[in-house]
Amino acid sequence: MALNEASLLFKSNLFKLQIDELLGEVAVAANSKATQDVDAALQQIRTELLAMESTAELTMDAATNHVRKLSKAATGQVFGIPFPDPAPAAGLALRMASAAPDAVNVVGSYPLGMAVRSARGFTVDVLAQMPARLFQERDYLDYRYFYKRALFVALARVRLQGSAVGEMFDVEFALLRGDTRLPVVQLRPKRGARRLARLGCTIRILPSVGGDVLALRRLGPDSCNVRAALYSAAQDSVATPQYNAALAGDALQLTHLKYLHETQAACPAFARAAALLRVWLGQRTGARGAQQLLDSGRLGGFVVTVVLAWLVRSPGSGGVAGARLSGAMDALQLFKGAVEFLAERDFAAQPVRFGSADAFGGAGGAVLVDPSGRTNLLAGVAPWELLELRMLAQQTARDISHHSDSRFARVFLSGALADVATRYDHVLRVEADLGALLAARTGHVDAARRLRELEHGHPAAAARARIGELLARALAPRHARVVAVHAAADAAFAERTHVTRRHVFYVCVVAGAQAQRLVDLGPSPDAQPQDAAQFRALWGAKAELRRFRDGAIRLATVWGANAMPPEQRALILPRMLAFLLRRHFG
């Protein structure tokens, strides 16, 4: 017994030493000798942004022409305003102006000491707060704020690319969380800037506004804030929770930074634990191609850091009386507690809220209300992404509890990047026509459907959601789970609003207890005519009308005979998936 206890103690101490060594290698500390070039570049970027010239109020067309002329003169390139999808309608009566930001601050993981370096480097976010005078009270409606935001982003790029900053960095547009409503300016070190390039630092300029500029009370999950004339044909008001969350996110970034800073002060090991969570998650999102997991960009290091803060600080759940995790815990204990929480928590059935946040009581889907109680940080995160995160956390929790010599590697290194073929029962490659998947954009427009698709912020994201929802509905009777629908590659920024002809997705499925069942029963056409019509629409010619031994006449899909051998039964689920994908997505 004593020998066994000594062995476990040795392995536990070794695990802690390995974690200390890991953080020493990957953690990025601001204002250190290693990052002095980054800090100098950030100061130069701040100076250039604060020196941006003001632009008088212009019409939409005049603003577009103005940006094109400035970009050609300052950079030699011609680029326009990175408007979201949908772009402004011709003749839209909206006048836009721009000016230097009121404040420029470094935000995110870097100033908090939580940034970690991966194979792709690390990212530093710079917040540029746009002046309140540029906006009107009702700019939260109909993309007005996003159009004005896009103008600021374009002029910020012109300023940076045409300055000395542009000599050190490649300056381009990018999308925050893959959302066309949220373009940012992205700076990557040029090869000539060797020390910056060696660090692999990417800098993003994130526009923001003060919390009093937007009517945050009108940005709840049930509010509809897109009422443009193009969609007036919609019979019912369609709630826009993701649109509202994108607006609120711009207004609350400093609030979130302040809350995490306070948490760090109350819990000495918080930053190290958050860095471990980012390493853990990064190992599961860093692979490319079919191994790229959790790839929407909306479920990243910030979300898991907020979850950790909730566990430490939320009354009855954190480092106060009745908390789940104590502020006196070390980094490994906090990391383990957060992983175990992610492994067991269903954010849809058990929402996570800071305070009461009553406005989100009836919000559909997963809910993680931010510390201000104003927005849902999981708005736009697909159900299969959360299911995938939960499965990964469950495996990690088991690995941490198993005192083996490979524990560290399985949690933080090679074990995290196991081939998807070993993680899922079936992986299918889908090449789909986005134009066929999504609602028409011209001619006869299904307004309600178009609004629901625009909610996702990107055509490919809307297509992913449609594929996942349809397959989940079809496979539910077999208790099979669609765990992931991943885009094979990110669309180029220039194609962000284009419905390209073909797009590739990977569908990952975990088989359920009924995966090898031969017959799926549907509704009775006489007793349930509406359900029967939906069943036929789903299965097409595969839906057959059959009489069963009890005398019931029901629709059904048949996938084989009783004499089918086991190796053929194992292929029933992929045959079903292939049939559905061909029928609905070409």
Side-chain angles (χ1 to χ4, degrees), residues 19 22-30 35 108-124 199-202 271-283 285 301 304-305 412:
I19 286 176
L22 172 69
L23 289 177
E25 289 292 329
V26 303
V28 179
T35 60
S109 60
Y110 184 69
L112 292 171
M114 303 173 189
V116 292
R117 186 185 296 108
S118 68
R120 293 178 288 178
F122 66 99
T123 300
V124 178
L199 285 172
C201 175
T202 298
R272 286 170 60 85
L276 284 176
L277 281 170
R278 289 169 181 269
V279 172
W280 171 77
L281 190 63
Q283 284 291 77
T285 60
V304 294
T305 301
F412 294 111

Side-chain angles (χ1 to χ4, degrees), residues 307 310-311 324 336-345 347 352:
V307 169
W310 181 81
L311 290 170
R324 286 178 180 266
K336 181 180 178 182
V339 168
E340 290 175 347
F341 177 81
L342 292 171
E344 68 181 25
R345 191 73 167 197
F347 287 91
V352 171

Side-chain angles (χ1 to χ4, degrees), residues 64 74 93 140 210 372 471 480 520 527 536 544 559:
T64 300
Y140 65 91
S372 73
L471 294 182
D520 280 341
R536 283 194 172 102
E544 304 175 10
W559 301 96

Side-chain angles (χ1 to χ4, degrees), residues 291-314:
Q291 289 185 331
Q292 185 182 6
L293 306 179
L294 308 169
D295 65 346
S296 73
R298 302 186 186 191
L299 189 59
F302 173 68
V303 170
V304 294
T305 301
V306 171
V307 169
L308 179 62
W310 181 81
L311 290 170
V312 171
R313 290 190 59 186
S314 181

Side-chain angles (χ1 to χ4, degrees), residues 347-412:
F347 287 91
Q350 300 170 289
V352 171
R353 300 182 179 92
F354 289 81
S356 59
D358 294 334
F360 294 86
V367 173
L368 170 59
V369 181
D370 80 312
S372 73
R374 294 289 191 175
T375 188
N376 178 15
L377 298 179
L378 295 182
V381 177
W384 54 83
E385 290 183 275
L386 289 167
L387 176 58
E388 188 173 32
L389 177 65
R390 194 173 172 188
M391 290 174 58
L392 293 170
Q394 289 169 350
Q395 180 60 53
T396 300
R398 289 192 293 268
D399 291 336
I400 293 175
S401 300
H402 190 257
H403 293 270
S404 68
D405 295 337
S406 63
R407 176 168 58 161
F408 177 78
R410 291 186 62 82
V411 174
F412 294 111

